[in-house]
Amino acid sequence: MLSELSHDLTAKKITPVELLNSSLQAIDKHDSKIQAFLSVERKEAMAAAEKSGERIAQGRALSPFDGVPIGIKDNIVTEGRITQCASKILDGFVSPYSATVIERLHALGFVTLGRLNMDEFAMGSSTENSAFQVTKNPFDLERAPGGSSGGSAAAVAVGFLPVALGSDTGGSIRQPAAFCGLAGLKPTYGTVSRYGLVAFASSLDQIGPLAHTVGDVEIIHNAIKGHDAKDSTTVPNEAYLKWDGKIETLRIGFDTALLEGLSSEVRASFEKTLDFLKTRVKSVEAVSLPNQRYGIPVYYLVATSEASANLARFDGVRYGHRTRDAKNLNELYELSRTEGFGAEVKRRILLGTYALSSGYYDAFYGKAQAVRSLIQKDYNNAFQKVDAILMPATPSPAFKIGEKTKDPVQMYLSDALTVGASLAGIPALSVPGPSDGLPIGMQLQGRNFSEDMLFALGKLVEKEFPQKRAVL
Ligand code: GLN
């Protein structure tokens, strides 16, 4: 836990270099089995840990967390380091600048360590869409760690690092957190700067933490959040809600329609969690989110449309991979993109381009945006009545590697419970729920900027249902 690490570092029981070395040793020993890292930025991390050690020794620590290592998903850039979004098209791309979240972590002395594996350009739910390797779930090496932040989740679950950053567009923090027995937050849209996060779907993308405890997620979220002049979609800090801290006055909603088609163990976990929360809060009430059932089609139209525009910049000229075989400019674009992008990324560019094309815009993209606002409205109505909504994070526990790769629609359906909060922009926290077998994630959603309340509820759940650690 971060508070213990911070205590040990401050009390000089351990140095940042020793801490980093223990991470690196664990990675060297086990990552050939897990394959969480695409590469390990040893030299840079060691230099940072040494500096941090000097600061602590001289009583100049930047924060209580100076010297704590944190893992970084391969779509968040750091100056001078390679970032590839697990794609061949960004082959060898070295970033000329750092993401705002990285600068904020460095300003507090955190030692950032990349590059954690992911689905290519964050498109996927199992990390199998990485162009380079398939990450394994530390609870069962035949199963997927979830995605797209599967490398971040696996690295934390197996104990390589205490915390990691992921990104969530439609569930990519919450779903891998659920599959790997971790807590993970998709913050309110606009609370965390996207400057330096390689864009997938700009109206949905948010950066957030994955950790063993809700408290650690909270520490990292508070470290990275806040207005950023470099991202005009970040909100002024004054927008954040002040919560009175009174759990006993909260009302929690649930929608039984969302339980259809869930695996029996997820359903049982949900019911136990709801029964438990009932004993702690003012009331538990049924709410109705009727448009959630359109979440998947709406999400896959909005996200692919935005992706098709965002990924146009990878043209073989400006970044990374360039074909060797082009005879003219058009061929340069076409072949570079054909060679550089994987199958899922191509599928989404095609889908998005189609949905945005002039003859189909109203029928697809326009319709999807209209239903998106209905999904938001459902939440607004529900939050008139309740303060938070409980639902599972995923329809089933971790599925087997290879189980869903042949049918993209099956893979898309694993996001059914996460895309709603993304489309509405509201915060959602996944926290391990009760389970006798593989980890199961429970999701708490709240009004915009209600993260503090979600953390408090999440801490109650994790205390009541302690999560087993993965053992290799
Ligand atoms: N699994 C979803 C997708 O494939 C969500 C991905 C994400 O949140 N980055 O788009």
Side-chain angles (χ1 to χ4, degrees), residues 291-307:
N291 292 291
Q292 288 270 320
R293 63 198 172 106
Y294 304 119
I296 291 287
V298 169
Y299 169 80
Y300 277 94
L301 284 167
V302 172
T304 56
S305 297
E306 293 185 21

Side-chain angles (χ1 to χ4, degrees), residues 355-366:
L356 289 177
S357 58
S358 62
Y360 295 104
Y361 183 96
D362 290 335
F364 293 110
Y365 184 73

Side-chain angles (χ1 to χ4, degrees), residues 122-125 148 167-172 200 299-300 348 415:
M123 297 174 184
S125 310
S148 64
S167 67
D168 192 312
T169 303
S172 279
F200 161 13
Y299 169 80
Y300 277 94
R348 297 201 186 195
D415 305 322

Side-chain angles (χ1 to χ4, degrees), residues 19 96 175 223 238 245 255 258 293 347 354 388 413 421 446 449 452 466:
L19 198 55
Q175 187 253 20
E238 297 75 47
D255 181 357
L258 301 180
R293 63 198 172 106
R347 175 159 36 239
Y354 183 79
L413 287 175
F449 313 112
D452 287 347

